[in-house]
Amino acid sequence: MKKVFLVFILVLLSTKISTVYAVSTSATSAILMDMDGGRILYAEDIHNQRSVASISKVMTAIVSIENKNIEDKVTIGEEIKTAYGSGIYIKQGEELTMKDLLYGLMLRSGNDAALAIAHHTSGSVDKFVLKMNEKAKQIGMTNSQFNNPSGLDQEKGNYSTAYDMALLMKYAYQNETFKTIMGTKQYQLTTNKNVYRWTNKNKLLTMYKYTTGGKTGFTEKARRTLITTASKDGLNLVVVTLNDGNDWQDHMNLFDYGFATYKAYELIKEGNIQIYDEVYYEDYDLYVKEPFKYALTEEEREQIILKFELEKARIIENDSVVGKVKIFLGDEEIGVRDIFVREKEIEQKKSNFQKLIEWFKKLW
């Protein structure tokens, strides 16, 4: 039997007058997304599939990080002989670490670094590209196709949408190694053949104080592509623009709009939860493993409803799922989290006699 509990989260109306933003871009496609809850805050032809150029290196980086130790030593092979376009100009026989190559990939958009990473991670570009497309499918990028690790429009090139690339960054942003690399302004290293000093091509890292990272891109076919992230007061945003000749300004405008209009609210906290009038599991702890954050306006905050659905398990096993908490914004379901159960700690357990004594004490 399922029991349902509804909890309305209310706050007082604010008398603060908010700035009204009219926002637009010069892009063919553009998106502003909350990276925690996945809410789309601004959209402009976001499912239009186009060549995405070097912002596809976000996929190259996260696939490599997840499949190889970044401290691995790499001796550059002859694969880089086919590299062209932007590069870090490494040489055959040069010795670097995977971490060095990842910095060269993300800061300087090195196509030679992309080839070296692909070969070290998977043994060949073709095998690495398979991993890129497998990861895209896993993330939910249903309108994307990767054909190389660099983003060059050789043969078929890499195709995606503003929405899919935002999903990719939302996923990659959870990886601390990736976040550190893409947000680094400068990087220096010495190899057996050269000394390198790299400055990040992402100008927003110095132009806009809330920027946390991103990746630039350009080919003649794709034109200017850009993906950037920014954080303020716990609100983590990503902007993607495709074919945008005014991308730096457009990204700053979209971030300003997002931070002025929305706030980050933690609607479900990780850990134990208390459900009013729930008695079936009173001798157990009910808890949630993952918090739920979502971007909301002040007015929307009072429209949030939490709906708890619990099953009365006949056999109660520690850390098993016994229900769900669904989060609604008005009539729209915006998220869901599993509810788990476990035995209370020994010191938390109380006999019925102890509970009766405590009840009498409260009366006096």
Side-chain angles (χ1 to χ4, degrees):
M1 181 178 180
K2 181 184 293 184
K3 192 168 185 180
V4 177
F5 305 83
L6 293 180
V7 177
F8 295 80
I9 302 180
L10 302 177
V11 294
L12 294 176
L13 283 172
S14 171
T15 58
K16 177 182 176 182
I17 298 176
S18 301
T19 303
V20 177
Y21 278 81
V23 64
S24 63
T25 75
S26 301
T28 297
S29 302
I31 189 171
L32 169 67
M33 179 186 284
D34 159 34
M35 286 193 289
D36 292 304
R39 186 178 189 183
I40 299 171
L41 310 180
Y42 175 87
E44 187 175 343
D45 206 5
I46 61 175
H47 299 297
N48 176 16
Q49 190 187 61
R50 293 180 53 85
S51 171
V52 292
S54 283
I55 64 173
S56 56
K57 290 186 172 85
V58 172
M59 178 64 86
T60 303
I62 195 63
V63 167
S64 175
I65 290 168
E66 290 183 344
N67 286 276
K68 279 293 180 179
N69 186 335
I70 65 169
E71 300 300 335
D72 279 0
K73 300 291 184 182
V74 181
T75 300
I76 304 302
E78 61 181 8
E79 67 273 359
I80 63 164
K81 291 181 179 180
T82 60
Y84 64 96
S86 61
I88 54 175
Y89 309 110
I90 46 179
K91 298 176 176 61
Q92 188 172 346
E94 195 161 2
E95 297 172 358
L96 302 86
T97 65
M98 278 292 284
K99 180 170 70 174
D100 295 332
L101 290 170
L102 286 164
Y103 275 101
L105 179 82
M106 294 300 293
L107 273 62
R108 300 305 302 169
S109 202
N111 295 331
D112 46 2
L115 290 175
I117 287 169
H119 275 262
H120 183 72
T121 301
S122 301
S124 71
V125 167
D126 288 344
K127 290 180 180 178
F128 187 81
V129 166
L130 287 176
K131 289 185 181 296
M132 294 175 74
N133 287 303
E134 287 170 2
K135 179 57 66 176
K137 185 177 180 180
Q138 175 191 332
I139 294 170
M141 300 171 68
T142 58
N143 201 17
S144 299
Q145 179 66 45
F146 295 94
N147 292 292
N148 63 68
S150 64
L152 288 169
D153 287 315
Q154 59 190 36
E155 299 178 0
K156 297 180 181 179
N158 293 337
Y159 291 86
S160 188
T161 66
Y163 175 74
D164 277 10
M165 292 305 295
L167 287 183
L168 172 59
M169 182 59 83
K170 179 180 181 293
Y171 174 82
Y173 193 81
Q174 300 172 47
N175 186 288
E176 291 299 324
T177 298
F178 175 84
K179 281 173 63 176
T180 298
I181 292 172
M182 76 161 180
T184 298
K185 294 180 180 179
Q186 292 183 322
Y187 187 75
Q188 179 174 325
L189 72 148
T190 301
T191 73
N192 60 326
K193 291 182 179 288
N194 210 341
V195 176
Y196 298 93
R197 296 179 181 87
W198 295 324
T199 299
N200 201 318
K201 288 186 176 183
N202 180 8
K203 293 181 180 179
L204 284 196
L205 286 169
T206 53
M207 293 173 63
Y208 191 73
K209 67 179 180 179
Y210 302 115
T211 304
T212 54
K215 183 69 191 71
T216 60
F218 176 84
T219 64
E220 289 294 332
K221 184 174 184 178
R223 310 307 296 172
R224 292 179 65 89
T225 63
L226 183 63
I227 180 168
T228 62
T229 60
S231 297
K232 180 184 178 184
D233 298 330
L235 183 59
N236 302 308
L237 303 178
V238 56
V239 172
V240 181
T241 52
L242 305 180
N243 186 26
D244 188 350
N246 193 33
D247 48 13
W248 302 121
Q249 190 61 53
D250 285 342
H251 280 235
M252 290 189 287
N253 291 345
L254 285 170
F255 284 134
D256 282 343
Y257 162 74
F259 292 136
T261 310
Y262 298 90
K263 293 182 179 179
Y265 290 95
E266 189 171 45
L267 303 177
I268 299 292
K269 294 183 181 295
E270 178 184 355
N272 290 356
I273 58 174
Q274 302 295 325
I275 303 177
Y276 175 74
D277 203 30
E278 201 295 305
V279 295
Y280 188 79
Y281 294 102
E282 64 179 344
D283 293 326
Y284 294 83
D285 283 330
L286 297 173
Y287 68 99
V288 174
K289 290 184 178 181
E290 293 181 67
F292 182 79
K293 288 177 63 179
Y294 204 71
L296 298 166
T297 65
E298 291 185 6
E299 291 76 15
E300 288 173 334
R301 180 66 175 85
E302 62 182 21
Q303 301 172 35
I304 293 296
I305 301 170
L306 303 184
K307 182 179 180 182
F308 296 89
E309 298 179 351
L310 292 176
E311 300 284 349
K312 292 185 177 181
R314 293 183 179 181
I315 300 175
I316 301 176
E317 298 180 351
N318 272 351
D319 302 314
S320 60
V321 176
V322 294
K324 296 182 183 298
V325 51
K326 296 179 178 179
I327 306 98
F328 288 84
L329 173 58
D331 295 330
E332 179 188 2
E333 183 179 324
I334 59 175
V336 62
R337 290 291 184 266
D338 287 330
I339 299 175
F340 297 82
V341 66
R342 62 189 168 201
E343 291 184 1
K344 290 182 182 291
E345 298 293 335
I346 295 176
E347 59 269 20
Q348 290 181 295
K349 293 183 178 180
K350 297 178 181 178
S351 67
N352 290 333
F353 180 69
Q354 288 173 312
K355 293 177 183 177
L356 185 62
I357 291 176
E358 289 181 1
W359 183 74
F360 275 112
K361 285 182 178 179
K362 289 178 182 179
L363 292 179
W364 293 98

